Amino acid sequence: MTWHPDLYRHWYAVARTGEVGERPLAVTLLDTHIALARAGDGWIALEDRCPHRHVPLSAGCVADGQLRCPYHGWSFDREGRLRHLPGLPAHAPLPGVKVRSFPVVECDGFLWVRPGTEGEPAPPELVRGTDPATRRFQWRTTWKAHVLDAMENFLDPMHTHFVHPGLVRVESRRVAARARFQATSEGFTVDYRGTPKQSGLLYRLFESERTMERAWFAAPGSARLEYRYANGSRILFDLHFSPRDAGSTEVFVGLHVEGRRAPAWAIRLLAWPLLKKVNDQDVRMLELQAGNLARFGRRRGASTPIDVVRPALERFWSEGRLPAPGECFEVEMML
């Protein structure tokens, strides 16, 4: 698939920090294959192909802070420059061979890569502004869906009555609500008013009356559901979407809790089984959707005003365009 050139200017989560060591990890981002590894006190991200005989560098290892190919031992530094060629006489100069390198940073427990040579200087402020000390849960998974469909699924509340009946919302208990779309410098927010409570089991077990429910999108692939409560506490449910290719998307999950007691062990023991069920239900629906799009060809779907997030997401992923500054509107719906 050909991706819009502007998409390569952004940063994408590609791995949890703890899963990357001196043994390289192979990742794919926007159909670009990358070998990612820890090198000394930093990280190294190179195109996953040794220029000598095209063996994947992700099958090699890190030695002396360099990524070494497993075939002939050619070693490359963080900038992709050839630094060691075993068997070459000491007096012979190294050939000017170089592997494509990628900038990589750590942020909120994930490693982020920018696939373009130029672009944004850092991951979204939405991510950088989160206190890592409030993180209670971290996970990664793969959704067999185009990134556009995957992101809409997470940010769209209208499917929850049917895909997650009883867990998130109950169809027979809809209430009148208003959704307010507001452009931001990084993407957009949608505030939902008139829904201080949800009708599903997850709300009844783990939450209290809300003072705010907000959905965030920060380019390129960060999405957040933010819930604020009367006692001043806040829950941030972050998903970072990184497209491997047109048919699969890596999803990196972080749950932050501020101002209320919620130990990590309790979330894993009590909340995670239900959240995992929600994930599995979404995965099944997205696979049904992707399968039918493959049967009929990818077509533009019919939409209504209550499909609040879809138009902005489509513009970004097809044209690289964010909502215009100041863009704002409200929509009535039954949630």
Side-chain angles (χ1 to χ4, degrees):
M1 175 178 176
T2 301
W3 299 93
H4 193 279
D6 285 350
L7 297 176
Y8 294 87
R9 298 177 52 83
H10 296 276
W11 293 81
Y12 300 81
V14 294
R16 290 182 293 169
T17 303
E19 67 182 320
V20 182
E22 292 188 349
R23 180 178 295 277
L25 178 69
V27 301
T28 301
L29 174 64
L30 296 172
D31 293 289
T32 302
H33 305 294
I34 300 170
L36 182 67
R38 183 184 291 274
D41 59 352
W43 310 95
I44 185 169
L46 302 179
E47 184 177 58
D48 197 10
R49 181 186 65 86
C50 179
H52 180 216
R53 290 296 178 265
H54 312 294
V55 169
L57 291 173
S58 59
C61 65
V62 173
D64 299 322
Q66 300 164 8
L67 189 52
R68 185 169 66 193
C69 176
Y71 196 6
H72 296 91
W74 286 31
S75 297
F76 303 89
D77 64 16
R78 295 180 189 177
E79 285 72 44
R81 294 171 295 201
L82 178 64
R83 290 302 190 185
H84 182 59
L85 196 164
L88 189 71
H91 61 80
L94 283 172
V97 175
K98 192 173 182 181
V99 181
R100 182 184 176 190
S101 64
F102 303 89
V104 53
V105 298
E106 180 180 356
C107 187
D108 196 29
F110 298 109
L111 294 181
W112 300 71
V113 165
R114 190 185 68 203
T117 55
E118 298 179 347
E120 297 296 328
E125 173 59 28
L126 180 72
V127 183
R128 291 183 284 118
T130 305
D131 181 2
T134 66
R135 190 173 61 247
R136 295 293 181 269
F137 183 78
Q138 192 183 49
W139 189 55
R140 72 171 293 178
T141 187
T142 303
W143 288 2
K144 297 296 183 181
H146 190 281
V147 63
L148 170 61
D149 299 322
M151 294 200 74
E152 183 192 25
N153 172 273
F154 177 64
L155 290 171
D156 161 48
M158 303 308 292
H159 77 280
T160 57
H161 309 78
F162 297 98
V163 181
H164 317 298
L167 272 177
V168 178
R169 289 183 173 92
V170 177
E171 167 65 8
S172 62
R173 296 176 61 186
R174 288 182 184 262
V175 297
R178 295 186 68 86
R180 184 176 187 271
F181 179 100
Q182 176 69 60
T184 70
S185 60
E186 295 188 321
F188 62 79
T189 62
V190 181
D191 286 354
Y192 294 94
R193 302 171 182 174
T195 59
K197 300 178 181 179
Q198 276 187 0
S199 52
L201 181 63
L202 281 167
Y203 175 87
R204 297 198 304 272
L205 288 178
F206 304 113
E207 296 188 69
S208 56
E209 186 167 327
R210 299 171 181 170
T211 58
M212 186 183 78
E213 177 181 348
R214 174 175 291 169
W216 297 75
F217 164 68
S222 291
R224 166 178 291 174
L225 297 181
E226 176 183 358
Y227 305 121
R228 293 180 183 249
Y229 303 93
N231 63 1
S233 62
R234 185 169 73 143
I235 291 177
L236 307 176
F237 195 34
D238 290 351
L239 268 64
H240 308 296
F241 296 84
S242 299
R244 289 175 52 88
D245 49 45
S248 62
T249 302
E250 297 292 329
V251 184
F252 299 86
V253 181
L255 176 64
H256 293 256
V257 180
E258 301 175 358
R260 65 194 304 164
R261 178 169 172 75
W265 66 264
I267 291 175
R268 285 193 171 274
L269 180 65
L270 303 175
W272 170 237
L274 296 177
L275 293 173
K276 178 65 164 58
K277 184 173 183 179
V278 169
N279 172 82
D280 293 346
Q281 291 168 336
D282 281 330
V283 165
R284 178 179 177 275
M285 188 56 62
L286 286 167
E287 288 181 351
L288 286 173
Q289 179 188 38
N292 227 29
L293 286 169
R295 285 205 304 163
F296 288 94
R298 191 163 188 93
R299 306 177 185 181
R300 188 178 183 87
S303 291
T304 72
I306 63 174
D307 297 305
V308 177
V309 303
R310 181 77 184 200
L313 291 175
E314 282 187 343
R315 284 196 301 271
F316 177 77
W317 286 104
S318 63
E319 305 171 21
R321 289 194 300 120
L322 292 175
E327 182 178 348
C328 181
F329 60 86
E330 290 195 7
V331 176
E332 294 182 353
M333 58 180 58
M334 296 296 294
L335 273 179

